[in-house]
Amino acid sequence: ASNGPSGLLGLKELTRPQDWRHLTADAMSKVEILVSQILSSRDPIETINLTDQVSKVLCRVIDSAELIRNVH
């Protein structure tokens, strides 16, 4: 049984073309928070982990958009 639409590329947030704007805005909000945490961090390991989180958030949007661009 299906629990409704899974969204484009398995991203539940992408069910309509205009959802790209929402996904991007959400990613940018998350990145702003993470960058703020990076700038205030004094722990090198925490800084690395936060930087990795920034990469994951950005890649989630960028890689998905790049895939669509290439297969379109």
Side-chain angles (χ1 to χ4, degrees), residues 40-64:
S40 65
S41 176
R42 301 286 182 242
D43 178 14
I45 300 299
E46 179 185 32
T47 300
I48 291 169
N49 289 331
L50 290 167
T51 302
D52 186 52
Q53 288 179 42
V54 168
S55 175
K56 287 178 184 176
V57 170
L58 292 175
C59 287
R60 183 170 185 253
V61 176
I62 294 167
D63 291 349
S64 300

Side-chain angles (χ1 to χ4, degrees), residues 4-71:
S6 62
L8 184 65
L9 304 173
L11 298 173
K12 65 180 183 207
E13 301 93 338
L14 290 178
T15 58
R16 303 169 298 163
Q18 59 267 36
D19 291 341
W20 283 102
R21 291 185 191 272
H22 300 293
L23 186 68
T24 302
D26 183 53
M28 291 305 299
S29 294
K30 289 176 181 175
V31 166
E32 287 176 6
I33 292 167
L34 290 166
V35 168
S36 176
Q37 292 173 347
I38 288 168
L39 293 173
S40 65
S41 176
R42 301 286 182 242
D43 178 14
I45 300 299
E46 179 185 32
T47 300
I48 291 169
N49 289 331
L50 290 167
T51 302
D52 186 52
Q53 288 179 42
V54 168
S55 175
K56 287 178 184 176
V57 170
L58 292 175
C59 287
R60 183 170 185 253
V61 176
I62 294 167
D63 291 349
S64 300
E66 182 69 6
L67 175 63
I68 295 302
R69 187 181 76 81
N70 283 307
V71 299

